[in-house]
Amino acid sequence: MKRKSISPLGLDPKGVGPRIIGFAMPFIIAGIVLRVCWPAYTFIPIFDKSYLRIIGLVLLIIGSVAWLTAMNQFAIGFSKGVLIANGIFGISRNPIYVSWALFILPGLFLLLNNYWFFLAAIFMFIAIFLFLKDEERVMLETFGREFELYSQKV
């Protein structure tokens, strides 16, 4: 059975995303549920500082802008079947994942003082390192030398 995709090249737009999100999602859900039901299990007193909340908000804004920019670039480039190597993809080969793991989840941790979001970020980084090789292998098979040169540069 052929996979459904929007790429003219037959690529799956989800890539390894579901596996990466699957690693982090239990911590995100736990953080939300515990914050609602038992807030004391999410709170770290030394992180209850207004300046950390401001830093968290800044990280959240930066991450959200990066994520939205990456998603927009991805939607346009992927539907055309081209390797996206400019814009935010010229800074990171995986800005969709990185924006969550480096900015959004740590930002939520600081903004809400909920360490479960920090744990989610750690597990998301672990998942990125575990699963990204599969996605990059597919990219190399699909785009060949073009991806090889891109991955050496970015």
Side-chain angles (χ1 to χ4, degrees):
M1 176 167 42
K2 187 176 179 179
R3 290 188 293 178
K4 291 183 179 182
S5 83
I6 59 170
S7 168
L9 301 173
L11 295 173
D12 184 348
K14 294 183 304 274
V16 296
R19 290 191 279 168
I20 290 172
I21 297 301
F23 251 60
M25 192 56 70
F27 296 95
I28 294 170
I29 292 169
I32 294 168
V33 170
L34 289 171
R35 176 61 124 218
V36 171
C37 299
W38 302 282
Y41 292 106
T42 65
F43 184 76
I44 302 174
I46 61 171
F47 282 95
D48 194 24
K49 309 278 189 238
S50 59
Y51 70 89
L52 291 177
R53 292 193 194 308
I54 293 168
I55 293 170
L57 182 60
V58 169
L59 288 173
L60 186 60
I61 291 168
I62 291 169
S64 297
V65 169
W67 181 75
L68 288 169
T69 301
M71 290 299 290
N72 185 52
Q73 271 191 271
F74 177 79
I76 293 167
F78 191 83
S79 65
K80 293 178 182 175
V82 298
L83 177 66
I84 310 160
N86 58 2
I88 199 161
F89 284 87
I91 299 168
S92 169
R93 290 196 307 259
N94 303 286
I96 294 169
Y97 306 135
V98 170
S99 62
W100 274 91
L102 195 59
F103 295 105
I104 294 173
L105 291 171
L108 287 170
F109 159 59
L110 292 174
L111 182 64
L112 302 173
N113 190 7
N114 186 334
Y115 68 87
W116 288 89
F117 289 107
F118 186 72
L119 292 173
I122 291 169
F123 275 83
M124 186 174 258
F125 270 118
I126 292 168
I128 288 169
F129 287 112
L130 288 175
F131 301 127
L132 214 51
K133 291 177 185 105
D134 295 340
E135 193 167 279
E136 293 202 343
R137 183 179 30 76
V138 170
M139 296 296 288
L140 186 59
E141 290 170 3
T142 304
F143 294 104
R145 182 79 175 137
E146 184 181 8
F147 181 75
E148 203 174 291
L149 292 172
Y150 167 67
S151 62
Q152 289 171 1
K153 191 171 62 171
V154 177

